[in-house]
Amino acid sequence: MRTALHTISYSGSWGQARLSAEETVERAAALGFHGVMLAAKRPHASLLDMDTEARRRLKAKLRQCGMNLECLAAYTNFTADAEHAEVPHREMQIRYVTELCELAVELCGRIVRIFTGYEHPALPYSRAWDLAVSAVKECARRAAEAGAVIAVQNHHDIAGHSETFLQFLRAVDEPACRAAFDAWAPVLQGDDCVAAARKLAPLTVHTTIADYVRLPRFRYQSEFVNYVREADFVQAVPVGEGIIDYKGFLTALQEHGFDGSVAYEMCSPLRDGNDLATLDGYARRFLEFMRPWLNAPSAARRRVQSKT
């Protein structure tokens, strides 16, 4: 396995310290990551800003720091604005993904992470499913033409559960469409993330890690002199201190064939604050946590080694 820092962690998006894409690459190298997962939106790698000179600078920075582009993170929602079907949102997003595939290859990378879609009141679930499948299928075909691979992350509503996610990938059925399967969604859904990892490992080329604790929420109802339970608040904590069994998850992935990149992201307010020292501390904790899996051979390599 290889480690990557998701640059969104230093984007300032949730009030945390903000660094440029090039500064984040330098930070990741100094901390000891193998590479970066580069956010394909402002303030980092928006296609609106990635002109020829910006691409040259970023590629040079990656090379200078000895860093790999492990993943380029696209932000898609193929069911967006469904009540206005005359606006070709899916076509725009497919073009966005296509250009990101070309950018990833130009930056000596290969994997572009995408999402499916959120449920939308203007779409029956089956129609939303079909739209997402067809969009991802076309993205995969265009990725293959560019020499890239798209990796679907189990993040949005459509195909969010591990069983549904597996069936979604089977429906897409394209060689250049793989999984960016993560553990946090199964855990929050009450699923067994270790069992899910065993099933999805052969399809997974990238995964992203963030750990959380559940903080119970109750709303007081004065007329009943009582409280009603609300959805838990989920707060980010250092890896290994939360509710997600990452030891079991990563071991299951590795034992069933995964040998890809593992990115760390800080994509919500952190329990211990949002200053640069806290971000760096969380990132270092992740790297320490990852040590057991970095040198252990995957199941596929062990099979090869046993034959030689």
Side-chain angles (χ1 to χ4, degrees), residues 76-80 82 115-121 123 125 128 132 155-158:
T76 56
N77 176 15
F78 294 117
T79 56
F115 300 132
T116 57
Y118 292 113
E119 289 198 42
H120 195 289
L123 288 173
Y125 186 84
H155 184 282
H156 289 2
D157 301 333
I158 307 301

Side-chain angles (χ1 to χ4, degrees), residues 4 17 31 36 52 77 90 121 141 183 250-251 261 276 301:
L31 288 165
V36 292
T52 301
N77 176 15
R90 279 173 294 284
R141 291 174 177 172
L250 291 168
T251 299
S261 49
L276 201 55
R301 279 189 288 163

Side-chain angles (χ1 to χ4, degrees), residues 113 151-154 165 178-182 203-208:
R113 187 283 316 274
V152 184
Q153 185 177 356
N154 51 318
F165 185 60
R178 313 305 285 174
F181 185 62
D182 294 349
L203 296 173
T204 301
V205 294
H206 176 84
T207 188
T208 306

